[in-house]
């Protein structure tokens, strides 16, 4: 597919916004849920910016030789390298970790927000972990991460902000926190906020023509032209998942298809 064929449709995504800011909790989240969209926006010259909130220190590791590597070097270091390689596969050049300039409030020393961890609840969703450190994203006063995200959103000239829904997709505390601060920043800067549609609605096939699903307006991105890039990026996150054909297999054994359609819902706050 040529640039002439790709760019017109992609330029209409997110209401035609340029420099869309994506807020993700851990390395690999960006590719699993928004990898094709990021690749498309980058290829179209729309300069998407990814802010990753933590380095995924609390993630489990796929059993095997990678466990020794993560133990020797530290999982945070390994996952940072995996993310770097994934972004290269997606063609994404603009990325920063929260707490590091330009994603740090003025006059504050750089900081690291650590992964808060999670535990599985009886209903199958994720909940808080008892092992969250004093430096974890959800333990540090929320005003700090909020101010950092506000700084980078304002300075980067973001035209819209994308993050998880208010349940964090599957409940992980860091995902819920990402939603809260991303939505608050969007409201403060009067920017459109788009939540990632996950679950059964997101898995509806690419041949769906309806603009609404379950009575809710949803913008569907057919990322088929960038599917191979997304698949290649997923393969770089080797400590967290494996790619089996067209499926993702997570460290816990959960399996689901690699999405060829990525869906987003615009959420308008009452004060906007």
């Amino acid at each position: 597919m040529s640039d002439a064929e790709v760019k017109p449709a992609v330029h209409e995504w997110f209401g035609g916004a340029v420099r869309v800011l994506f807020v993700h909790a851990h390395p690999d989240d960006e590719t699993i849920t928004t990898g094709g969209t990021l690749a498309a926006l980058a290829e179209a010259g729309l300069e998407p910016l990814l802010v990753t909130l933590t380095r995924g220190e609390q993630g489990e590791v796929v059993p095997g030789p990678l466990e020794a590597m993560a133990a020797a070097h530290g999982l945070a270091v390994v996952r940072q390298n995996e993310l770097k390689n994934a972004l290269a596969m997606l063609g994404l050049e603009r990325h920063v970790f929260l707490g590091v300039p330009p994603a740090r409030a003025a006059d504050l020393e750089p900081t690291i927000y650590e992964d808060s961890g999670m535990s599985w609840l009886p209903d199958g969703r994720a909940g808080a972990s008892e092992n969250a450190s004093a430096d974890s994203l959800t333990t540090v006063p929320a005003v700090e991460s909020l101010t950092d995200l506000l700084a980078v959103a304002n300075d980067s000239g973001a035209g819209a902000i994308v993050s998880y829904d208010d349940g964090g997709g599957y409940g992980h505390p860091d995902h819920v926190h990402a939603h809260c601060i991303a939505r608050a920043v969007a409201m403060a800067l009067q920017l459109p906020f788009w939540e990632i549609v996950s679950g059964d609605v997101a898995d509806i096939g690419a041949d769906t023509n309806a603009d609404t699903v379950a009575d809710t307006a949803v913008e569907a991105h057919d990322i088929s032209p960038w599917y191979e890039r997304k698949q290649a990026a997923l393969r770089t996150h080797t400590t967290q998942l494996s790619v089996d054909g067209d499926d993702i297999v997570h460290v816990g054994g959960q399996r689901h298809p690699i999405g060829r359609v990525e869906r987003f819902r615009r959420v308008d706050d009452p004060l906007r």
Side-chain angles (χ1 to χ4, degrees), residues 120-203:
W120 289 110
L121 302 178
D123 64 359
R125 290 180 61 80
S129 168
E130 296 180 355
N131 299 320
S133 73
D135 295 320
S136 71
L137 181 68
T138 57
T139 303
V140 174
V143 67
E144 189 168 341
S145 56
L146 175 62
T147 306
D148 286 349
L149 188 63
L150 179 62
V152 68
N154 185 61
D155 293 346
S156 66
I161 298 180
V162 175
S163 194
Y164 315 103
D165 61 24
D166 58 5
Y170 67 100
H172 194 297
D174 288 341
H175 286 227
V176 175
H177 187 91
H179 166 87
C180 290
I181 62 174
R183 189 165 175 182
V185 167
M187 189 173 180
L189 297 179
Q190 297 187 314
L191 297 174
F193 178 76
W194 295 79
E195 64 181 22
I196 299 162
V197 178
S198 57
D200 293 340
V201 173
D203 293 336

Side-chain angles (χ1 to χ4, degrees), residues 42-117:
E43 183 177 288
L46 294 174
E47 299 182 327
L49 171 62
L50 169 65
V51 177
T52 308
L53 304 187
T54 80
R55 290 151 180 80
E57 297 90 342
Q58 296 277 0
E60 296 181 72
V61 179
V62 172
L66 293 174
E67 291 177 303
M69 181 177 68
H73 299 285
L75 184 56
V77 172
V78 175
R79 294 193 72 177
Q80 285 180 83
N81 287 331
E82 290 177 346
L83 177 58
K84 180 180 179 180
N85 292 333
L87 298 185
M89 295 297 101
L90 297 176
L92 188 69
E93 297 180 352
R94 303 176 74 228
H95 169 259
V96 68
F97 281 103
L98 194 71
V100 178
R104 184 62 168 161
D107 302 324
L108 293 181
E109 292 295 321
T111 192
I112 292 176
Y113 294 102
E114 295 184 357
D115 184 346
S116 303

Side-chain angles (χ1 to χ4, degrees), residues 197 200-202 204 208 210-218 220 263 265:
V197 178
D200 293 340
V201 173
I204 294 173
T208 300
D211 292 328
T212 60
V213 180
D215 298 324
T216 303
V218 171
R263 288 183 162 83
R265 178 188 297 111

